[in-house]
Amino acid sequence: MGRSRYKIYEPTYPHFITCTILHWIPIFTRTETTNIIFDSLKFLQKEDNLKIYAYVILENHLHMIVSSDDVSKTIKKFKSFTAKEILKYLQIKNVKTILEQLAFYKKAHKTQTTYQLWQEGYQPKLIKDEKMMIETINYIHQNPVKRGYVDVAKHWRYSSARDYEDEKGLIDIERLF
């Protein structure tokens, strides 16, 4: 059981979620690892009624605004499945340096596993209104721009920015619901 101090009190409402790789290790620098994320999200859209309002995947973390029948359970499934699949991929590809780091930084109480991929918790923040939704989507989409990876948010490959922004860079709120 995770030791997250964050609680979800409205499990079916949209939440801003951040999932971070342990010790900020750059895992999402390969297409194969990001594909594992996308495959898991697609599965959860069908199985858990997951709705994804916005997302961005950077090299060592991801941000999403999501809702489902139970956000807490859905994110738990997401992190568990993606950790197993990404670790399996890293072992098959013999990526020793990253695997050694994931073993070294693993939390002491995680005695059932050799590695830990995700940091504990995911910092859920309830999206309370339309204004907060738009501000949070803009924050998510601007993440790669602020880091200097791209000049325009919709140019980031692993982002929903290209789906939501019009030619002026504004969010079309009607497309969200």
Side-chain angles (χ1 to χ4, degrees), residues 93-117:
K93 293 297 183 180
N94 201 25
V95 186
K96 288 183 181 180
T97 303
I98 289 178
L99 288 168
E100 288 169 1
Q101 290 175 321
L102 294 172
F104 179 80
Y105 292 114
K106 178 180 73 104
K107 300 297 180 199
H109 67 271
K110 301 241 181 223
T111 58
Q112 302 293 320
T113 60
T114 305
Y115 307 104
Q116 179 181 344
L117 183 82

Side-chain angles (χ1 to χ4, degrees), residues 3 17 23 38 47 50 85 97 107 109 111 132 138 156 158 168:
R3 299 183 189 286
I17 305 287
H23 208 68
F38 290 126
E47 294 298 313
L50 176 68
E85 292 300 308
T97 303
K107 300 297 180 199
H109 67 271
T111 58
M132 185 178 183
N138 286 329
W156 187 248
Y158 303 119
K168 297 174 189 163

